[in-house]
Amino acid sequence: MKNYIQAPLPFQGQKRRFLKHFKEALKEFSPNATYVDLFGGSGLLSHTVKNFYPNATVIYNDFDNYTLRIENIDKTNALLADIRAICSKNSNRKDKEKLSEGICHEIIERISHEQGFIDWVTISSSLLFSMNYVTNFDQLKKETFYNKVRLSDYNADGYLEGVNRTKKDYRDLFADYRNNTDVVFLVDPPYLSTDTTTYNRNDYWKLSDYLNVLKTIEDTSYFYFTSNKSQITELCAWMQNNGYCRSPFDGAKTITVGTQLTYNAGYNDIMIYRNNF
């Protein structure tokens, strides 16, 4: 099974920078457990577990239809090949430079003739400024294009091989497995106040949503991902220290990875895990 160190197609919020720490922490868990990826996203955590522990049962909640994008990867590559050829006509011919108005018009014209499925996240990541995504043609037409099309095709061969795919609300999936023995929950919800446009939701991930997720890590074995921007760990510690409730992170281990956004701005991604067995 090929080992992927990042998701084969672009996805907002994938955990590629945590993989080294995640694999090291997995050594503390059973190689034969059932791992339930409640917020499957790009499937990178599910893939990593299955690659690390081939005998484990891995349940991937494909709530965002990532596998549909993988199934259409040849179609996406064909469209990008045409866009790449158009970009080669750009006068400055420099990577990541703003494309001319004429080139942008030609790209829009090409996409307008595309029939059936279009992977808007991958297409927009190939044309828009870093971390900007659109989900439909009307949005794309309003954007400024840059020469960001990768030179090689995307490939996802064997990426989710052996992983069991499902698609349901994370609360229903948790209820399916909460009483099973030897279960580890992978909990990577959208960060607090995150714009969920590219997820299979049409609203923001609010505080009440975020707090409800904590029910999945009460007295369970888990990996939980958050950031210091949410301050959720501080809130839970305060609640416990002041006698309101026991923190779901009590007895867990924490790994922090810094993220630099600009030369003077950044934040910390956090992985918290606990093995209850």
Side-chain angles (χ1 to χ4, degrees):
M1 181 179 182
K2 180 181 176 180
N3 180 35
Y4 285 80
I5 59 174
Q6 65 179 24
L9 290 171
F11 189 86
Q12 182 179 4
Q14 58 172 297
K15 289 294 175 288
R16 62 179 180 269
R17 294 184 306 109
F18 265 113
L19 290 190
K20 178 182 177 181
H21 303 291
F22 182 55
K23 291 177 181 179
E24 188 63 29
L26 276 173
K27 296 177 183 178
E28 301 178 29
F29 293 76
S30 170
N32 300 303
T34 297
Y35 292 82
V36 183
D37 195 351
L38 294 177
F39 299 87
S42 69
L44 186 59
L45 293 178
S46 290
H47 162 80
T48 301
V49 172
K50 192 63 179 177
N51 188 274
F52 196 81
Y53 285 144
N55 292 328
T57 298
V58 181
I59 311 300
Y60 164 53
N61 189 13
D62 188 19
F63 193 73
D64 299 299
N65 288 323
Y66 192 79
T67 54
L68 179 62
R69 296 173 57 197
I70 290 178
E71 290 166 1
N72 286 275
I73 201 167
D74 288 344
K75 186 179 175 76
T76 300
N77 283 332
L79 176 56
L80 287 175
D82 289 347
I83 294 175
R84 189 182 302 118
I86 296 171
C87 289
S88 69
K89 305 174 186 177
N90 201 55
S91 57
N92 53 47
R93 301 290 294 275
K94 293 181 180 179
D95 184 36
K96 298 184 180 180
E97 290 290 329
K98 182 179 177 181
L99 293 170
S100 68
E101 184 175 340
I103 295 296
C104 293
H105 177 76
E106 193 171 345
I107 291 172
I108 289 294
E109 183 68 16
R110 168 61 186 88
I111 296 174
S112 71
H113 293 293
E114 190 71 7
Q115 300 294 317
F117 177 85
I118 297 178
D119 184 349
W120 293 111
V121 174
T122 300
I123 297 304
S124 55
S125 72
S126 303
L127 293 170
L128 306 185
F129 199 73
S130 181
M131 299 305 292
N132 287 339
Y133 302 105
V134 302
T135 58
N136 59 60
F137 188 53
D138 289 336
Q139 291 176 348
L140 186 68
K141 290 190 294 184
K142 299 175 183 177
E143 299 291 337
T144 300
F145 291 176
Y146 295 84
N147 190 7
K148 291 182 58 189
V149 183
R150 57 185 278 168
L151 298 179
S152 59
D153 286 346
Y154 286 97
N155 186 297
D157 291 347
Y159 178 58
L160 292 173
E161 182 180 346
V163 171
N164 300 309
R165 177 188 179 274
T166 189
K167 181 181 179 181
K168 57 176 63 179
D169 188 284
Y170 82 90
R171 291 164 292 193
D172 296 328
L173 183 57
F174 174 67
D176 290 343
Y177 288 91
R178 65 180 303 173
N179 295 320
N180 290 28
T181 58
D182 206 12
V183 174
V184 182
F185 293 101
L186 311 180
V187 188
D188 182 23
Y191 286 174
L192 185 62
S193 299
T194 295
D195 182 351
T196 56
T197 301
T198 60
Y199 300 110
N200 193 22
R201 293 176 59 98
N202 57 7
D203 57 3
Y204 280 80
W205 195 252
K206 303 179 182 65
L207 179 59
S208 58
D209 300 310
Y210 211 68
L211 292 174
N212 283 334
V213 173
L214 297 181
K215 296 177 182 178
T216 67
I217 61 174
E218 293 176 352
D219 301 315
T220 65
S221 294
Y222 65 80
F223 284 86
Y224 177 86
F225 296 87
T226 185
S227 79
N228 65 332
K229 293 193 296 183
S230 74
Q231 298 183 318
I232 196 73
T233 55
E234 289 87 347
L235 172 61
C236 290
W238 187 91
M239 295 289 284
Q240 176 166 294
N241 293 338
N242 287 275
Y244 287 96
C245 63
R246 175 173 171 262
S247 169
F249 305 118
D250 189 36
K253 299 179 181 180
T254 300
I255 302 293
T256 300
V257 175
T259 297
Q260 197 69 28
L261 297 176
T262 63
Y263 75 94
N264 63 351
Y267 66 93
N268 290 328
D269 275 324
I270 301 170
M271 180 181 77
I272 305 172
Y273 65 97
R274 184 179 66 206
N275 188 348
N276 261 12
F277 302 117

